[in-house]
Amino acid sequence: MQFIAAPSSGGAVLGTLGGGGIALALTALLILGVQGKGRIKFGAGKAGVVAFLAGTSYVAAGKIWENAEKVVAQGLTGFGVGSDGPFGNVGIGAVALLLLIIMLAAPLNAGRAAVVALIAAFVWPATGDGTIWAIPGQLAAATLMSFGG
């Protein structure tokens, strides 16, 4: 009796997807879920989680996916974050806290929640290792690695 063996997936549950593949799949899920015209309709919470995972995957994917992170970084620079800008001395930790406050307190629809969470996916890890803000990004990256390596 012979068995046909599948190639090794490197321990990933879904086989090898690659960083770009995960970013592409999560972006499609996010867009379709926020639109809510198909079988999946996201509220603000689910849209935020998927957007955060998508943003985390963009960092790992590189290439064209880096552009979203660059736009956020340019926006922060424009507001003078990390220097004595128009709002005074505003550090990256203050921006991370502001994003959390918006997530928890603002009346966000799915689209706005996705935008805020996507920005948080880039800002929170930028606060540096050892900060409380880095933990969600590290958890998201570990989760994505287990699913698609």
Side-chain angles (χ1 to χ4, degrees), residues 13-111:
V13 175
L14 298 176
T16 303
L17 299 176
I22 293 172
L24 183 63
L26 287 173
T27 301
L29 177 62
L30 180 63
I31 291 169
L32 295 171
V34 168
Q35 287 178 345
K37 295 179 182 176
R39 293 182 180 171
I40 296 174
K41 181 174 182 168
F42 289 155
K46 289 180 183 176
V49 169
V50 173
F52 191 83
L53 289 171
T56 302
S57 71
Y58 295 174
V59 174
K63 306 272 182 191
I64 193 169
W65 303 104
E66 291 176 336
N67 290 330
E69 184 176 18
K70 288 178 183 178
V71 168
V72 170
Q74 289 173 348
L76 293 173
T77 300
F79 282 116
V81 173
S83 65
D84 195 21
F87 296 102
N89 187 7
V90 177
I92 193 74
V95 176
L97 179 59
L98 176 63
L99 289 168
L100 179 64
I101 290 169
I102 291 170
M103 287 178 186
L104 296 175
L108 301 174
N109 63 22

Side-chain angles (χ1 to χ4, degrees), residues 52 92-98 100 104 120 123-140:
F52 191 83
I92 193 74
V95 176
L97 179 59
L98 176 63
L100 179 64
L104 296 175
V123 170
W124 289 356
T127 61
D129 289 337
T131 66
I132 194 167
W133 307 110
I135 295 170
Q138 292 167 350
L139 179 61

